[in-house]
Amino acid sequence: EIAASADVAGGPGGTEVAVTYGRLRDEAAAVAGGLRERGIAQGDTVALMLPTGLDFLRAFFGILLARAIPVPIYPPVRLDRLEEYAARQSAILADAGVRLLVTIPRARPVAGLLRPAVKTLAAVVTADELAASGVPVSGPQGGGDEAAFIQYTSGSTGQPKGVLLTHDNLLANVRAIAAGLEVRPTDVGVSWLPLYHDMGLIGSWLTCLHHGLPLTLLPPTAFLARPERWLWAIHQRRATLSAAPNFAYELCARRIPDAALEGLDLSSWRVALNGAEPVSRGTIERFARRFSPCGFRPEAMMPVYGLAECSVGLSFPPVGRGPKVDRVARGPFQTDGRAEAAGVGVCAATRQNPSAAT
């Protein structure tokens, strides 16, 4: 048994739930048994509409143990807007041919809204209902070339498209991420990134899980309500690895009151990944300037790039180098796809007209 745990700050009433490898295995085996009891077979797709927490963790691995295919989708933020939510998600669920939807009890009404558009959907269940029925599955089966799960692209450049990842795809990317970050046995992770997104699911949870690193998971809503919770989790756990989109660093730099930073120590944070959206030089500089007095080292900031078609991680700069900024002339880049260095005159003009170069 690996002596590591994932601390899920998302239990009842905001309590913390410690999830060891042994507990995750047992809970997932029970969910897998419930899936088989309901006729879910190898290759069937099962959607996960769950917030960050133990239910997501055990359901995801339970589906894998049943040799079915998880399809994570984001849970509804507002239950009073389920019709609008169902309209957006039904296309994804229909495309994936989902047979079962695992969600929270309060979201059950979405089932009636989804069924007309998702003909394959047979039932909507909770993780507790799955775990309470059937015989627990004894252990994993199958090979690395089998389908692991389907993740959908963000849809930022068009309709979301499903990417079918195999177990080999996931393991290759998880190992590549660890190599790019120079992961050490003493590393500790903290993440508030949603688990339906590849950066949170693969880049944070599965990477830490595979390499035996303790990970603290915070609900995304906890960060959005009070961004300092993310930084204080890093402080309290002495975390070394944590990732976020550029907007999160900007939010921290601009919105956290000085009083909320008293005593904060970020000196343990050796890799602060910044990705999933365009990275802003201004944001990087503002974050470093604001949090250097708290022990944050500017060279820890690591702009990264990934995409669902590559599992998640694709390019990483050297660890500890810090961000490197190039100015390129916008014209040749937009018209011919050529990155030409912007001259001194262009750089000066950019300060007056930011659209002159990028």
Side-chain angles (χ1 to χ4, degrees), residues 55-355:
D55 279 355
F56 186 101
L57 306 184
R58 62 175 173 164
F60 184 88
F61 269 106
I63 297 167
L64 292 182
L65 282 175
R67 299 182 76 179
I69 303 172
V71 183
I73 62 174
Y74 68 87
V77 177
R78 294 178 53 178
L79 295 180
D80 61 341
R81 300 178 66 175
L82 284 180
E83 189 169 350
E84 178 184 333
Y85 170 84
R88 290 197 303 268
Q89 296 304 308
S90 60
I92 289 177
L93 299 181
D95 181 68
V98 166
R99 287 202 54 204
L100 205 66
L101 173 65
V102 185
T103 188
I104 57 176
R106 288 185 303 135
R108 280 187 180 278
V110 79
L113 300 172
L114 288 171
R115 278 202 177 96
V118 187
K119 305 300 184 184
T120 56
L121 183 61
V124 176
V125 298
T126 67
D128 281 341
E129 289 169 345
L130 290 173
S133 62
V135 178
V137 173
S138 59
Q141 301 173 346
D145 60 345
E146 290 185 7
F149 80 101
I150 300 174
Q151 67 175 344
Y152 277 79
T153 58
S154 63
S156 56
T157 58
Q159 288 296 321
K161 298 177 178 62
V163 179
L164 181 63
L165 299 174
T166 66
H167 294 277
D168 283 341
N169 291 150
L170 286 175
L171 286 172
N173 204 235
V174 161
R175 290 164 180 157
I177 290 170
L181 302 183
E182 299 178 7
V183 163
R184 310 162 184 173
T186 53
D187 276 325
V188 176
V190 164
S191 177
W192 58 265
L193 300 173
L195 293 174
Y196 57 78
H197 188 274
D198 52 11
M199 196 176 187
L201 177 62
I202 306 171
S204 297
W205 178 38
L206 294 183
T207 294
C208 286
L209 185 83
H210 179 73
H211 292 281
L213 308 180
L215 172 66
T216 296
L217 291 173
L218 303 171
T221 50
F223 164 75
L224 293 173
R226 290 178 54 192
E228 63 268 26
R229 286 173 173 157
W230 174 35
L231 305 183
W232 277 103
I234 293 171
H235 164 101
Q236 292 161 357
R237 304 295 183 182
R238 306 314 301 149
T240 58
L241 308 174
S242 196
N246 189 84
F247 87 85
Y249 292 99
E250 185 70 29
L251 201 62
C252 289
R254 290 186 180 273
R255 297 293 179 86
I256 299 177
D258 290 341
L261 302 181
E262 187 173 347
L264 180 68
D265 180 7
L266 298 177
S267 60
S268 65
W269 198 359
R270 72 176 188 87
V271 179
L273 296 93
N274 186 336
E277 64 184 22
V279 178
S280 164
R281 176 182 182 175
T283 296
I284 290 172
E285 293 173 347
R286 281 187 289 274
F287 187 88
R289 188 163 53 246
R290 179 87 194 275
F291 295 101
S292 289
C294 301
F296 180 78
R297 295 172 298 104
E299 61 270 23
M301 182 66 72
M302 179 186 281
V304 293
Y305 178 74
L307 66 166
E309 294 87 342
C310 186
S311 296
V312 61
L314 179 59
S315 63
F316 293 72
V319 173
R321 187 199 68 185
K324 185 177 180 181
V325 179
D326 285 335
R327 287 187 177 275
V328 299
R330 184 177 293 275
F333 187 77
Q334 287 184 324
T335 57
D336 303 323
R338 290 184 290 110
E340 294 184 358
V344 176
V346 174
C347 291
T350 302
R351 286 190 282 271
Q352 302 299 325
N353 176 17
S355 66

